Amino acid sequence: MAEPSAAEQRWLREARDFIHRALPARQEPGGPEPPLLDAVLRCLRSAGGGELPLGYSFISISDLQHQQRIPCCSHLTWSTNEFKEWAHQGRDAFPTQSALPRTYLILVGYLTDRSQENKEELVDGCLYVKDNTGIIPCELLHVELEWLESLFLFPSWSYIPQTDQSAAGYLEILVDPVPVNLPKEVPDSIPVAHPASHEPVLTSRVLCPKRSKVTVGGELTRLGPLLCIHHKTFFFLFLKCFTSAVWFPVLVQKPNQLVWHHILQLGHRYTITDLTMSSLKKLGRRIFVTGVSSCLLPYCAEQVREQLLDSAWQGESTQSAYPETAEQLSNSLQLGVEERPRSAKESKIISYVGCVTEILNVQAGLFLLDNKVCLCLAYQQLLNSARGLRPGACVELTDVHLLQKPLVSFPFVALCACLSSTVVLKSFSRLSTPYQPLASSGNLYLQLLFHYNLGMPLYLWMVSLLEAFEKRFSCFFRHHRSLLRSTRRNPTAAEKFVVPLLQAMVPDRGEARDVYSEILGKTHQCPLRKYLTLNPPCQAPSLSEIRHMAEQKSWEGFSPSQVLSPSEAQHMGTQELNRRLAWSYCTLSAGSFQPRLILLGVLRVSSRSSNLQLQDSSSWLSCVISHKDGSPFAHTALIGSLLQVENYQLIVERFLQTDFPSSEHLGNLEHVREKKTSVYVQFYFEDVQVLRAAGGPMQKGLRSRNSSSLRKRDDGSLIPELESPKAKMLKLEDPKPDTDRDENCQGDQSSARTSCVSHLFLVTQKEGLMPRNYQLPREEGGEEQELQCSFQATVLWLGRPQLWSHPSDIGNLPELEETGCDGEEGMARQEALLLFMGKSLRWFPFLHLGGLYRFIVPCCSDLEVFDKLCSPPVPLKFLSKSSCPLCLPVQDAWQLQHETWISCLPEHQLAARSVLAGMGQRISSIAEVLSNSFTGSLVSVSGEIVERSLCASPKNEKPSVTVGLQKQKGSLLASDHSVKLTISVAPGCPVVMDIYIAATCLKQLWGLLPGAKIIFQNLERKISRFHNVYCTYIASSCVSIISLPASHLPFPSSPVGEASPPSLVFLSSLQSHLQNLHQARILCHLSCVLALSLQWVCSLCSSIFKEGRCTRHNPPCPSHTGVRQASARVLVEDGTGEALVLCKNQHVAAMLGLSLLEWEVVQNCVQSRGSVSVQHGEATGTGCVEEPGDLIGCYLRSLCRSPLICRPILLDFSLDRKPSKILQPAPLQLRNFQCGEVEFVSQVGPYVSLLCLNVEEVGQDAFSYLNRERMRRTSSHC
């Protein structure tokens, strides 16, 4: 024999070292074992054709697990061409996937099921390869019983690591291993008994004692899955008689016999020894049970001696409905389409062979076969953690349930394996795809499936909800993998979300799943047998999808004519028409979507606009949160918390850029140049469910806040329902702090206990967000800086700074005890001006007047930290008085915690409450602001929005710096527009006030809708040249929404909200409400028409339009569209006074008593002339006197002077705030009145100018009734 080369000697030394290190020396009972090195080398030479594989190296189990990070394969006996051919097979179905890379490694180890380790809890029915260095799970396509605990050389294998590289993977044994030693011998002859159809039924235990042991043989007709119940692993197999259709079950439960599950193959004949008989009382069935000495052997007629039992086993005949084959699957799909979508269906049992093309959700047990069939293995336990089920693997399914269209939105048919189904892996994948194991412990999918015994449609819907939930919110939390991990003590956010939905769908939890009946029952019963196509009752899409759905729904069927009243639109010019169309909104609720829409999001604060937002991984949605008791929302503890809201209002603000010439062109959408939307949501805090609270000290405030609104939340019905034992939900957990990438997240800075300093304060004044010229110190220096967006608040420090060992130790307002004793004079010197810039802007939506807050400085023990940062707001030489509060810049790292409101202080702190009550900014009433005696220039007022509209900005108003900056960033409305809000104390109240807001400020203001109750701060009070009082929103102003509009707002809705019917008044009572009356109604008599004007004007420049063109020549007007306009001034009286009423457009026809057809004829006649004016008596105003030959003028003049015009009417009106002639206060004058032959003299005041809103005809009977009602109400108020 030739001397080995140096390379071979080196390789042999490495092989010897590996054998000595990795392979244990075992002593077999039959005698001494030959040296392992010689045996391994003999196997290698045999596999390699007599040559040693010098190009390969040995690898131990430990090195393979710790050094190999990507999938790989090794083929000891294959050539390069053979490997390439194997790698390219089936690649057409996976063009984007790469094949397993080849490594040149030799794997040698013992094949074991761990049953010899005397630890039954380790025996799970799985196979492993082990050596001295470690052990690794493995999957084989073919296993022989004598292979266990034998040393093997594995010529072809693949190593598949887990997606989580910190955990080990598993082995796929591609071809049969080569034994290093000789195999074990099989017994020669075994006595076998098998049931026969003609043998009597075993009915007496005397004839066959319970402990008697028999050996049976038969054909394997069904193989149940491995199950682990109460920490006991077992499976059932079913043998069929050779000569009949009788079959009987065998229970295999001994740890050393679980490996049989890998050996057994359907259709093969087997012999099982030493079986005992047992009975299941619940089912009335008897089964064979294996014992410790039972053996599984292949059936061989030459090696068995058949014998009959005195009383034999009588099994059950096979099912009459034979499984469908894979070829029948397409026919089954066609049949399913014809069934009714809402009728109960019975699933078909078929067999199918397919290739795994995609892992849909391994934790939910969902796989895609052949890109068209969904395989669900969730109803089996999959104790092998779905090893081998990778894309490219081939599986054979026997007795699986076919479900067609289980879910309306599910795109595939489903094949579901129950406990009577058999799933066999036929071939491994050649693709380099990692392995993600199916988690059996803490798997929320499987826990909910088995807990509620869900059917397949409901399970698929639950999976879709949980998948979307994890995708949307896993990036917000550090331990994102725990979102769908179930724990008994603390329910996760996903559980809190989905469990109530399942409880509503399965209120009685359904029937408990009976494993033994499902496997052994005479009639097959399982959750998959019958199903109903599920139309999901609700949905929880991502925020980006919600925005898209809301925008789409707001434009569905939208027409510009819906925003305006047709009777008003036909008289509008181009500018007014397009301005009224520029801004509208619609309100959507959860029920506006089908199915019902549930809102989920993490509460954050925008770093740009400082608005509250709900966020997920897809997008964000601005939100307005209020309390049902009218208190502002101030719960800083909710920042970073995951919220669920089911009762909300989704608002879509619509912005249009149009160039409609007139209302006649509203149907032509070519005039719509641009459409934009702004979507936000508003809801009440009481309707919020916290699915996952933000970690850190802020959570303490969320759990133990003592405000009235929080007490209402604690007493609500939602939380007890979720905390009931039936719901299997516990109270809100106190999770470990989460660290978010978003700068707005409030997380615990450190898990260790660190000291902190806190300071309590009361907010007395707050200003709005605006760019200010505060210069922050720069690290690298610089001469110029841009204006910093900031806001400031005046606060009153309460007590002294407190030192705490940890933020969680902060007590309940100890500062108020000492504050109450100091007195008011002591507190006056504790004012401070807080300046919020940068990241501290996140506190803007939480600071409100009258709120008690606490600053928390983490990781600090200096009680003078607040004093050291204070500085004068201006240089000391400019200070006019020493009492000017010091300015304190709020640091980014400081945390704000809302404590309570002044009105919610307990009784023992009433002393402090009485002192603090007068320190804050006063909220004035609307009547006080409108009063002539009011002297302030900046006011704070609260009220309810009655109406909102878009109007042109006053010409004397100059845009502020804030408006200019916002315009540069882009605004949804033109900068020359203003928003006019009309507010009142309550709906139907006649006292109203107008507030004007620059349209460019709307980018930061949400929730300004009719019906909303608001608090405005720091408005500028102004008086117009018509002596009307109004307010404007300036740079330092801010607004808070304290109550949302009613949920029954119309859809779609215009900017003008619905108003309640106006109250009936006397004209004499209007003298005391000339400044603030909004709308009222009078029952009056029309005395005469003083002036009438009908015009056809240019829609663009309002010049007279004649013969189809504008009459303006310098400069010429390009418009070709005219608009009809009419106005009239009439005199009315109700017995207590007289008034001049200005009527416009359609109200003129009602005053004149003309029908629509008559009014149309009159306007057509005016259209040829351009304009017609009629004056009567001493009518106010100017106009052309009619010509004698003018027929239309004569008709209108005679109509105005006709006694038929003088009649009783019901008039809705508002004050004419811009009369043609300003009526100055005048003394009472004497006037003569004549009734028949009697003449009266009375003192009367000047006429009141009114604006007509509506005219209704009143008959004599109705006139008498309304007059009596008016007199009765008047006398009751006297």
Side-chain angles (χ1 to χ4, degrees), residues 650-670:
L650 195 60
I651 310 299
V652 184
E653 303 274 8
R654 297 178 295 220
F655 301 91
L656 291 177
Q657 289 188 9
T658 59
D659 56 2
F660 288 103
S662 66
S663 61
E664 297 177 355
H665 302 81
L666 290 179
N668 187 2
L669 297 182
E670 294 180 357

Side-chain angles (χ1 to χ4, degrees), residues 111-364:
L111 188 65
T112 178
D113 62 350
R114 308 186 75 172
S115 61
Q116 302 299 323
E117 300 182 13
N118 296 324
K119 295 180 180 180
E120 293 189 3
E121 64 272 10
L122 297 178
V123 182
D124 53 6
C126 300
L127 294 176
Y128 300 85
V129 175
K130 72 174 182 178
D131 60 14
N132 275 347
T133 64
I135 187 169
I136 185 172
C138 68
E139 293 294 323
L140 296 90
L141 301 180
H142 170 242
V143 182
E144 297 293 342
L145 187 60
E146 59 270 16
W147 290 1
L148 287 182
E149 306 304 326
S150 298
L151 182 62
F152 284 95
L153 167 69
F154 299 94
S156 294
W157 51 271
S158 300
Y159 175 69
I160 312 298
Q162 293 190 24
T163 52
D164 183 5
Q165 295 186 357
S166 62
Y170 73 99
L171 289 173
E172 293 178 351
I173 309 302
L174 305 180
V175 298
D176 289 350
V178 178
V180 175
N181 301 318
L182 295 178
K184 303 174 185 178
E185 296 182 357
V186 180
D188 293 334
S189 179
I190 303 173
V192 175
H194 62 85
S197 58
H198 63 275
E199 294 175 352
V201 178
L202 180 60
T203 58
S204 174
R205 294 188 179 182
V206 177
L207 297 179
C208 186
K210 181 177 181 181
R211 295 302 178 183
S212 62
K213 295 184 178 181
V214 295
T215 298
V216 298
E219 180 182 339
L220 183 66
T221 183
R222 181 150 61 95
L223 179 63
L226 280 168
L227 299 175
C228 183
I229 299 178
H230 300 301
H231 306 287
K232 188 72 174 179
T233 305
F234 63 93
F235 70 92
F236 283 92
L237 61 90
F238 297 83
L239 296 178
K240 185 175 72 69
C241 180
F242 299 144
T243 58
S244 66
V246 176
W247 56 269
F248 55 90
V250 178
L251 173 61
V252 181
Q253 59 181 350
K254 298 303 177 181
N256 62 333
Q257 298 165 358
L258 297 179
V259 70
W260 296 0
H261 196 271
H262 299 273
I263 300 172
L264 296 167
Q265 299 184 46
L266 295 178
H268 288 218
R269 296 182 175 187
Y270 295 97
T271 300
I272 305 178
T273 66
D274 295 343
L275 296 178
T276 59
M277 196 172 298
S278 181
S279 175
L280 294 177
K281 295 181 180 180
K282 182 178 180 180
L283 298 178
R285 292 292 308 274
R286 293 179 180 178
I287 60 175
F288 286 116
V289 181
T290 61
V292 177
S293 59
S294 298
C295 295
L296 174 67
L297 300 171
Y299 181 85
C300 183
E302 293 79 8
Q303 295 180 349
V304 300
R305 301 189 307 272
E306 183 174 335
Q307 62 182 14
L308 298 178
L309 298 176
D310 294 337
S311 297
W313 170 266
Q314 177 66 36
E316 297 293 336
S317 60
T318 57
Q319 298 179 0
S320 58
Y322 291 96
E324 299 184 31
T325 61
E327 290 76 10
Q328 294 173 298
L329 179 59
S330 58
N331 297 331
S332 300
L333 300 182
Q334 296 176 0
L335 293 175
V337 179
E338 299 176 0
E339 299 185 24
R340 297 181 181 180
R342 296 301 299 167
S343 61
K345 309 174 187 177
E346 185 164 351
S347 61
K348 298 181 180 180
I349 299 178
I350 69 169
S351 296
Y352 184 79
V353 178
C355 178
V356 179
T357 53
E358 184 181 348
I359 308 297
L360 297 178
N361 188 327
V362 66
Q363 301 304 325

Side-chain angles (χ1 to χ4, degrees), residues 1129-1146:
R1129 191 171 293 274
V1130 300
L1131 183 65
V1132 299
E1133 58 88 16
D1134 68 345
T1136 65
E1138 294 178 306
L1140 292 176
V1141 181
L1142 176 62
C1143 306
K1144 293 183 178 181
N1145 301 322
Q1146 72 273 16

